[in-house]
Amino acid sequence: MIKSEDVYKIGRLGKTHGVKGEVSFQFDDDVFDRVDCDYLVLDVDGILVPFFIEEYRFRSDSVALVKFEDIDTQQRAAELTGCDVYFPRALTDSDEGSMSWAEIVGYSIVDASTGRTVGKIASIDDSTINILFCLEDGTLIPASEELITDVDQENRIITIDIPEGLLEL
């Protein structure tokens, strides 16, 4: 059984394409193209299920057309539309210095000055030049490299020197 902590979200399946089972895949992280992995994990009705990739081709820098094994009709592909797509953390090609934003969703944030866990990252706001960690409780923390003091990938913890008074806002 695939556990949610063993994968991270890289995108979502969109509409079907053609009649042979292809589906559009909007992705935030192209890790599936950079590493040797034969499958993607889809959230099907709350269950994480691996689907083996037969082939894919890029339509743009954020959309690919994917054909999964045993999905051979438009009707079968339509059953997958809207599914969130995940990638196994164990197969990622990143290290501490080159992690994607998608990979750190779910990491805990620890305040470097107090050692206290502030919360878990629910999403990343990269809509402006000042990227923010959006925590589960709604707190926003700057994702500045100058503030990050440590990244523990094994325990999924990011230690940040949080500016004084930020958490009281």
Side-chain angles (χ1 to χ4, degrees), residues 12-67:
R12 186 175 188 87
L13 295 182
K15 299 187 294 185
T16 60
H17 181 80
V19 295
K20 300 201 180 195
E22 281 187 316
V23 64
S24 67
F25 169 36
Q26 294 180 301
F27 57 90
D28 300 320
D29 188 339
D30 66 352
V31 66
F32 66 96
D33 187 49
R34 295 190 317 261
V35 301
D36 187 25
C37 183
D38 298 333
Y39 67 96
L40 294 173
V41 178
L42 305 184
D43 182 342
V44 180
D45 297 327
I47 300 170
L48 296 173
V49 181
F51 280 79
F52 287 86
I53 301 169
E54 191 171 299
E55 63 183 8
Y56 65 89
R57 65 184 190 274
F58 290 97
R59 296 217 51 191
S60 71
D61 60 352
S62 63
V63 177
L65 295 176
V66 179
K67 167 79 175 69

Side-chain angles (χ1 to χ4, degrees), residues 98-136:
S98 68
M99 292 176 65
S100 73
W101 291 121
E103 282 182 82
I104 62 174
V105 170
Y107 275 46
S108 294
I109 298 292
V110 172
D111 185 355
S113 62
T114 65
R116 182 175 65 93
T117 299
V118 177
K120 279 192 172 187
I121 300 172
S123 64
I124 307 295
D125 180 351
D126 60 356
S127 60
T128 67
I129 195 164
N130 297 316
I131 298 172
L132 300 170
F133 295 134
C134 305
L135 304 186
E136 291 174 339

